Amino acid sequence: MSLDAFLSYLSLEKNYSSHTLSAYKRDLEDFTAYHEEAFLTPDIDKTDYGSIRSWIVELVGKGLKNQSVNRKVASLKAYYNFLVKIGEIKTSPLKKHKALKTEKKMGVPFSELEMQQVLVQIPFENDFEGIRDKLIIELLYATGMRRAELVNIRMQDVDLHQSTLRVIGKRNKERILPMLASIVESINTYMIERNKLESVENNEYLFLTPPGHKIYETLVYRVINKYLSMVSPKVKKSPHVLRHTFATHLLNKGADLNAVKELLGHSSLASTQVYTHNSIAELKKAHLKAHPRNKK
């Protein structure tokens, strides 16, 4: 009963996606199954930290990465915080838990040359899909938005006169992004082809498939992977790497960290600072090249 109430709370009050809800449900069901096998009861509402700790040890022993273990424990932590909130328990058993250490691995960003090549030299087809795919790449690189944010852009979110774009990010947070003149031009070109579609089922969304349906996240990944593979030997080619590229290139050009934070939709500066290591590398190269004390 508590699990159903928790999932309803995440859906109705937190506006979590169905994908996120499924992940929470799966993590809690996994712990419940472990708890029943190890302690002969499926009731996890009043368990203690020792029981959760033994589950963590088992997960690590099975070879699960620390990052994955932390995500599962985060699901439990949210559940117990919910139980505290509704008065089912007084204190969360995970109140003093410290997450396992993880290495923050970022995909190597694309270079400015690679982005120039994919947007200028690649011969995109001059049809609906070709024009749409190029706009997807342009928009992700020019704004740094998340893949889910791009998929859910509605027609009413696009203001071509003001050159701005409204996106809804994590936790249903709204932000307004500026658009370059080239992006406005590309949207206008795309709209000409979009208006030619015979069947437009979800016409409130900006990006559609040829049959007129709303695009989906896997399609966006395929687009990025397909075209960036033509110009880049990098192993990881994804929408998130393009987001990383956006932030890195802005910081390399001297953009303010707080401004980049706002553009990315991060809630804290710490989330944005992970993008600075490449910027620092560029600063070091510039310093070594220009400083008079550097021995040639």
Side-chain angles (χ1 to χ4, degrees), residues 117-168:
Q117 288 175 329
V118 78
L119 292 173
V120 176
Q121 297 180 16
I122 293 295
F124 287 84
E125 293 293 330
N126 191 32
D127 58 12
F128 170 75
E129 287 187 271
I131 292 170
R132 179 203 64 191
D133 291 353
K134 185 177 182 181
L135 176 58
I136 285 174
I137 298 172
E138 284 183 305
L139 202 51
L140 288 173
Y141 178 49
T143 66
M145 72 174 66
R146 301 176 179 91
R147 173 171 52 170
E149 293 170 347
L150 179 132
V151 167
N152 289 299
I153 295 173
R154 298 174 186 269
M155 295 295 296
Q156 65 189 33
D157 298 327
V158 183
D159 189 336
L160 297 178
H161 296 293
Q162 296 293 326
S163 297
T164 59
L165 183 64
R166 173 179 173 267
V167 297
I168 306 298

Side-chain angles (χ1 to χ4, degrees), residues 39-266:
F39 304 105
L40 305 179
T41 172
D43 184 10
I44 65 170
D45 287 10
K46 294 180 174 60
T47 193
D48 57 20
Y49 181 65
S51 301
I52 300 174
R53 182 67 183 174
S54 65
W55 182 54
I56 294 173
V57 171
E58 179 173 285
L59 292 175
V60 173
K62 287 181 177 179
L64 203 64
K65 293 182 179 179
N66 284 5
Q67 186 174 2
S68 298
V69 174
N70 286 341
R71 183 188 58 75
K72 285 181 173 293
V73 175
S75 296
L76 282 188
K77 191 170 185 179
Y79 177 65
Y80 289 118
N81 287 342
F82 169 73
L83 294 183
V84 171
K85 181 181 178 74
I86 64 174
E88 287 290 323
I89 59 175
K90 290 184 178 179
T91 307
S92 167
L94 285 164
K95 185 176 182 179
K96 295 184 179 180
H97 173 74
K98 292 184 178 180
L100 303 180
K101 291 185 178 180
T102 59
E103 291 183 12
K104 288 189 176 181
K105 293 184 178 180
M106 302 295 299
V108 178
F110 301 114
S111 67
E112 290 186 35
L113 176 60
E114 286 171 334
M115 293 310 304
Q116 178 76 2
Q117 288 175 329
V118 78
L119 292 173
V120 176
Q121 297 180 16
I122 293 295
F124 287 84
E125 293 293 330
N126 191 32
D127 58 12
F128 170 75
E129 287 187 271
I131 292 170
R132 179 203 64 191
D133 291 353
K134 185 177 182 181
L135 176 58
I136 285 174
I137 298 172
E138 284 183 305
L139 202 51
L140 288 173
Y141 178 49
T143 66
M145 72 174 66
R146 301 176 179 91
R147 173 171 52 170
E149 293 170 347
L150 179 132
V151 167
N152 289 299
I153 295 173
R154 298 174 186 269
M155 295 295 296
Q156 65 189 33
D157 298 327
V158 183
D159 189 336
L160 297 178
H161 296 293
Q162 296 293 326
S163 297
T164 59
L165 183 64
R166 173 179 173 267
V167 297
I168 306 298
K170 290 184 176 181
R171 307 293 186 270
N172 217 29
K173 290 181 179 178
E174 173 188 317
R175 68 186 189 280
I176 304 297
L177 300 176
M179 290 193 295
L180 301 171
S182 59
I183 295 296
V184 173
E185 183 179 342
S186 293
I187 291 177
N188 280 323
T189 302
Y190 165 73
M191 287 305 301
I192 293 172
E193 298 301 318
R194 184 184 182 279
N195 291 335
K196 294 178 184 178
L197 296 179
E198 294 182 4
S199 174
V200 180
E201 182 179 290
N202 290 297
N203 57 16
E204 72 266 34
Y205 291 101
L206 176 63
F207 287 108
L208 304 176
T209 62
H213 306 305
K214 173 188 174 186
I215 63 168
Y216 44 95
E217 293 191 22
T218 306
L219 184 150
V220 178
Y221 176 84
R222 289 174 185 163
V223 167
I224 301 305
N225 191 267
K226 172 185 175 181
Y227 290 103
L228 267 302
S229 292
M230 296 180 186
V231 300
S232 176
K234 293 179 173 64
V235 175
K236 193 170 183 180
K237 295 176 279 287
S238 68
H240 190 71
V241 175
L242 207 47
R243 178 172 162 85
H244 181 25
T245 301
F246 162 81
T248 301
H249 289 183
L250 282 185
L251 291 168
N252 285 348
K253 296 297 184 181
D256 178 71
L257 190 61
N258 277 298
V260 176
K261 166 184 170 292
E262 294 301 319
L263 289 169
L264 292 172
H266 284 158

Side-chain angles (χ1 to χ4, degrees), residues 6-48:
F6 174 61
L7 294 174
S8 294
Y9 165 74
L10 294 182
S11 175
L12 300 175
E13 295 195 35
K14 292 292 186 178
N15 295 308
Y16 283 5
S17 68
S18 58
H19 176 76
T20 302
L21 292 174
S22 295
Y24 272 94
K25 183 179 181 183
R26 183 170 57 250
D27 293 339
L28 288 164
E29 287 177 343
D30 286 350
F31 178 61
T32 300
Y34 167 81
H35 200 274
E36 183 172 14
E37 182 179 346
F39 304 105
L40 305 179
T41 172
D43 184 10
I44 65 170
D45 287 10
K46 294 180 174 60
T47 193
D48 57 20

